[in-house]
Amino acid sequence: MIYVLSAAAGLVYGAAMGGLKYVMLWRKILNAEPAEEILARAIYVRMPIDYGINVLTFVILFLVRNIIMPLDFTVSAIAAAVGLSLIGRMFSIKKVFGRVSAVADAEETEND
């Protein structure tokens, strides 16, 4: 039972950190209009910050491992990594599907 609780807590923590990372770091770039120019510099500046946030996520988890004594650290860390990466994938996939549906709608109106 402790492994299930550790996995759930790690998954929630990783997902929360991934969501915050998206909102604070990548939202402006991912929600840019098609006509809006995105500079490569904006992406290159955000990439090391993104990695830093990932490392910070696990440093915080490592530092609080003794505070959350009943939870298994290894399971929590693995679940946090899964949550962190799933949230990142979810936001990027959501954006791709949004663009695909916009292109499909544009093609449909052209054919009518």
Side-chain angles (χ1 to χ4, degrees), residues 10-92:
L11 195 63
V12 168
Y13 172 69
M17 292 299 283
L20 288 172
K21 180 174 68 170
Y22 167 77
V23 168
M24 293 185 324
L25 199 61
W26 294 108
R27 187 178 197 174
K28 182 178 178 182
I29 290 177
L30 291 176
N31 290 337
E33 295 296 322
E36 195 174 334
E37 184 179 336
I38 298 172
L39 298 175
R41 181 176 179 264
I43 294 173
Y44 292 142
V45 166
R46 283 174 170 83
M47 287 176 66
I49 297 170
D50 186 338
Y51 291 126
I53 292 172
N54 290 343
V55 169
L56 184 65
T57 298
F58 292 107
V59 167
I60 291 171
L61 186 62
F62 180 77
L63 292 175
V64 300
R65 75 187 186 284
N66 292 330
I67 296 171
I68 51 172
M69 191 68 161
L71 299 180
D72 185 71
F73 172 71
T74 306
V75 175
S76 297
I78 292 170
V82 169
L84 195 60
S85 60
L86 283 179
I87 290 296
R89 299 292 179 256
M90 183 189 74
F91 284 122
S92 62

